[in-house]
Amino acid sequence: MSRLPFYLIVALLMVVGIAMSIHRHVEFEVPWTPGEQRQVWEIEAQVTFDGQGEPAKVDMALPSSQAGFRVLTEHTASPGYGLAFLQENGARRAEWSTREAVGDQRLYYTAQVLVTEGARKATAPPPPPPVTDVAWERPYDTAAQQVIDRAWARSSDAFTFARELLSEFADDRQGENARLLLTQFDRVPLAVRLLNQAGVAAREVNGLMLDSGRRRQSLTSWIQVYDGDKRALFNPATGEQGKPDNLLMWESAGNAVLEVEGGRDSRISFSMLVRNQPAAAAVRSQLAEDSDTLLNFSIHSLPLEEQALFQTILLIPIGALVVVLLRVLIGIKTSGTFMPVLIALAFIQTTLLTGLVGFLLVVAVGLVIRSYLSHLNLLLVARVTAVIITVIAIISIFTVLSYRFGLNAGLTITFFPMIILSWTIERMSILWEEEGPKEVLIQGGGSLLTAVLAYLAMNNPWIRHITFNFLGLQLILMALILLLGNYTGYRLLELRRFKPVTED
């Protein structure tokens, strides 16, 4: 029979598992290691205005996830106001409303923004419509045309033209025409108007320069220039092209940052603070929000109680892989196939030293009592039931004694799987009668060694991290176990049979 379908299934499991893991790391920036730190900015916008005793409506621009930044969470504090989040053409806005606003009014908006290098870009606003007719009064029309002609002659495309045009207004290069225009117009609206007159699509946008610990900061104006499907950001003061790393674009659609109806003297100011936190915690909320997609199938969408449960369940395949490696490749004998995995899970709850002592005590006392039950010639079901009750009694007695002597670690012995311990005692007792104490020590020692190794693997912080955050790993483990199940060679411990051959 051809083994090709088997290897195709294994290869498919490996490829899908690796692809799912890489997708989560790249698209959702889930870190490979648990200790990675990320910068998170806490940004607070404060809106103040004087109410006139009439209905008021406040419309404020909001930031979106963008290259370099991802909005994690956002909160508002606006008692007595209704609130709605609106989105149109890629621009997000918050709209507060109230029937009566009297006196000093203060509204707060707080956002947590994650600094990232691979954030998904939000839907970008479309380019502004072309402006066909830009009217000037004399003598500004002549000055504007001369500035445009001078910059046009030294450029080759829309971006180089914008750079040359903005440099005309730099403090060290201002000519008579530039100085004349600046006496009548503000720098940024003037530059946008000149660009539009030259047939270059451009708009004024607003960004926040992030600087930790700053208070009462305001937005800065930038110029977004379009050349077909391409776009570039320019500093209107220097003409430099490109977006600084610490610039968070707050309003990119060319609309007003703040509009207030029913009030006067409106102002908006910003305070900011940066802090570091584990990368896994920083992206957890985003994972929960995006977990409805197939490629981002995530445990993070479950309630916390179920998440804690699955964090342990997803470690079982790691322990199973350890058992398969030790039994198939090395040849270690265990009492029961996957009993060591369950004992390793108990070790995670009890700690290793406490778990080893508790396991040995329970099994040793259980074997003594089981040896007496064997003389009663009971039926199998009744005998195993009696062993189960005995194990429960042993664990109860040890727990009470530990508490009485002040050994709180002994209380965790209740995490041992009682049914599994009962069957382990039953198997070892039968094995003692049929094969002798040597075989009991071999299988019991092998089970304990396997449980300890499985515990060390399952309790590793990195393994706990990747099993919980990358579900594609389960497919990779399945592929590895299928490959190991196809192994038909000698086990490592079986090679001892060939030792006399090597000596000869």
Side-chain angles (χ1 to χ4, degrees), residues 114-126:
L114 172 69
V115 177
T116 175
E117 296 182 358
R120 295 165 294 171
K121 295 183 179 179
T123 304

Side-chain angles (χ1 to χ4, degrees), residues 4 10 61 71 82 144 149 177 192 223 261 281 291 312 331 333 350 370 384 456:
L4 180 60
V10 171
V71 179
D149 293 341
N177 294 320
V192 172
I223 297 178
E261 299 179 8
S291 58
T312 302
K333 295 181 179 180
T350 64
R370 170 61 178 79
V384 173
L456 294 176

